[in-house]
Amino acid sequence: MLEALNNILPQTQCGQCSFKGCRPYAEAIIEGEADINQCPPGGDLGIAKIAKLLGVQPKPLNTQFGEHKLKSVALIDEEVCIGCVKCIAACPVDAILGAAKFMHTVIVSECTGCELCIAPCPVDCITMQILDNPLSAPSNLHAKQRYEARLQRKGKEAVDKTERLRKQKERLASTQNQSSAT
């Protein structure tokens, strides 16, 4: 049931529903901690699909969580971008390319339109553009796969960092012990 519900959600990972992603929102619905109408990107169609899956009546989108918008993608004004990497860190599907102090760009075919990159940008160089063809947006499944791949990469990076720090601490302790012995 959880996977089926999660797969209905748009996989924007935007957090507008007040949860940190689509899967936590799906879990909350199943646990009775959230209502079925808290996902603005899913809109009325998403609510209807959730209601059908759960065997309940659909209800209108709760606008407390936002308004449904047409599918859109982020665009970065490359002339204004300062390469701060804050947008890269915010993107839940790794749809932004760039490096520190270099211009960034959005991989339009990967962008879910979550808008999470806008707020951290210190120079306001990111805007949202409505897609001419909503079918050109990544599928829910593709966006979910990119999000899960990012989570795995971030988890591995954390483990690697912990291991590097542990080894560094061991080397430092070993060096201090050798210095104390002489």
Side-chain angles (χ1 to χ4, degrees), residues 65-118:
F65 298 97
E67 298 286 335
H68 180 71
K69 299 177 187 175
L70 296 175
K71 289 224 178 228
S72 59
V73 293
L75 293 178
I76 296 176
D77 183 340
E78 297 171 357
E79 298 290 320
V80 179
C81 177
I82 59 173
C84 72
V85 303
K86 291 179 179 181
C87 60
I88 292 174
C91 181
V93 293
D94 288 336
I96 301 175
L97 289 177
K101 299 185 181 172
F102 287 93
M103 175 263 317
H104 296 71
T105 192
V106 174
I107 306 169
V108 173
S109 62
E110 304 294 349
C111 179
T112 63
C114 70
E115 301 184 10
L116 293 174
C117 56
I118 295 174

Side-chain angles (χ1 to χ4, degrees), residues 101-175:
K101 299 185 181 172
F102 287 93
M103 175 263 317
H104 296 71
T105 192
V106 174
I107 306 169
V108 173
S109 62
E110 304 294 349
C111 179
T112 63
C114 70
E115 301 184 10
L116 293 174
C117 56
I118 295 174
C121 179
V123 293
D124 295 325
C125 69
I126 303 173
T127 56
M128 298 305 292
Q129 179 177 334
I130 295 172
L131 290 172
D132 293 332
N133 177 7
L135 298 177
S136 65
S139 70
N140 293 10
L141 176 60
H142 183 73
K144 180 182 169 192
Q145 290 169 337
R146 287 197 55 95
Y147 176 67
E148 289 170 351
R150 181 178 192 268
L151 289 178
Q152 286 180 339
R153 179 179 55 79
K154 289 293 202 180
K156 184 178 179 334
E157 287 173 358
V159 167
D160 291 348
K161 181 178 180 180
T162 300
E163 182 63 17
R164 272 194 320 275
L165 290 173
R166 185 190 63 75
K167 287 179 179 178
Q168 187 178 28
K169 191 174 180 179
E170 283 177 1
R171 283 192 302 272
L172 182 59
S174 176
T175 303

Side-chain angles (χ1 to χ4, degrees), residues 1 36 47-58:
M1 175 71 81
I36 66 169
I47 294 166
K49 288 178 181 180
I50 293 169
K52 182 176 180 182
L53 176 70
L54 299 177
V56 299
Q57 287 295 311

